Amino acid sequence: MTVSVLVPSSISREAEDKREATRKLGYVARAATIFRADRLVVYPDRDGETGQFDGGFVQTVLRYAATPPYLRNEAWGMRDELEYAGVLPPLRAMSQTGSESTGSGSSRQGIVTEVGPEGRVRVNCGLQHPISLNVPPKMAVEEGERVTVRISSRRPVRAKLIDDPLPGLSIEQTDLQAALGREDAGVRIAASRFGEHLTVGRLKTLAGRVQHDGMTVAFGAPERGLPAILGIEESAIEAASGQDGAADNGVEPTADPGFDLWLNTVPDQGSEVVRTEEALFATLAPLSLRE
């Protein structure tokens, strides 16, 4: 069961400067972290991108935000896109694999700083000094590569290198259709003000499906929602979603890339515009509830 959050490469299109764009992306990453998303996917929206805050900028800032603080300097160095990285809110991601000091262990990211002889490497994983670890059989690593380290004790240090995916939020880039077509996509939801209103009754049904299958939730950009990005008429989505008594008119959004549901999670919004980072919190919070 996985949770994927999809945002467009145009998500920072309304930002007045790099500082504001960076802060906005920080709250996108924070929302994904709070609600334990496994993947934060940036899908292309070339027509909506403006100026310097294109898809490359968005991915760089999000990947930096998702990098553990103890690895950031070594992993990223100095980059123009990260000029205002200091305004990013801390994610403070909790380990999903146990405590940091008990026998159950915890997984964390590390960077290989040196490849030595006899299958040993030195890894910076946020402890006081880089630690020397054995490389598991059939696992090849290179200097500068990020790896997963399982720590079972800090005093004394007991740790091992494991051939597992990196823990924490994964930042990926792919097109919308491919993201929705993944085998583990779960319930595929389009967040839009033109979708079906989220009600108590609908949430009860959704909660069971999401808990069992996981979910993929896609969001639009400021002043450019999913209908505009996909070239779908807003009226077609409203009709297909059953709003305004139009539930049975047979209208289908022809450019729909494969959503199971178009959902409006702020059905009585008091502002003309709900920003993307606000929509993430408003949508992921109720969808994270359990039966």
Side-chain angles (χ1 to χ4, degrees), residues 125-263:
C125 56
L127 301 180
Q128 189 172 3
H129 303 288
I131 56 178
S132 178
L133 300 172
N134 286 316
V135 180
K138 300 182 180 180
M139 179 180 176
V141 297
E142 299 178 353
E143 185 174 328
E145 183 178 348
R146 293 200 202 184
V147 292
T148 301
V149 178
R150 172 65 60 84
I151 299 176
S152 56
S153 172
R154 285 175 173 267
R155 296 181 181 178
V157 174
R158 294 191 181 93
K160 63 180 180 179
L161 200 62
I162 56 176
D163 193 6
D164 283 352
L166 294 176
L169 179 64
S170 170
I171 309 298
E172 303 178 8
Q173 178 190 17
T174 188
D175 63 78
L176 196 58
Q177 191 165 9
L180 294 174
R182 294 180 64 119
E183 290 185 2
D184 60 352
V187 185
R188 298 164 295 183
I189 300 170
S192 171
R193 66 186 300 177
F194 302 103
E196 298 183 40
H197 291 175
L198 180 61
T199 63
V200 173
R202 179 169 294 283
L203 180 58
K204 184 177 181 180
T205 301
L206 271 175
R209 294 177 61 193
V210 169
Q211 188 172 357
H212 183 268
D213 299 327
M215 64 180 175
T216 296
V217 190
F219 297 85
E223 300 179 352
R224 186 172 168 81
L226 281 169
I229 292 174
L230 296 172
I232 300 175
E233 291 293 333
E234 296 166 354
S235 58
I237 296 173
E238 290 178 328
S241 298
Q243 292 190 27
D244 301 323
D248 300 318
N249 65 0
V251 178
E252 294 290 339
T254 56
D256 189 328
F259 292 111
D260 298 313
L261 176 68
W262 287 75
L263 192 64

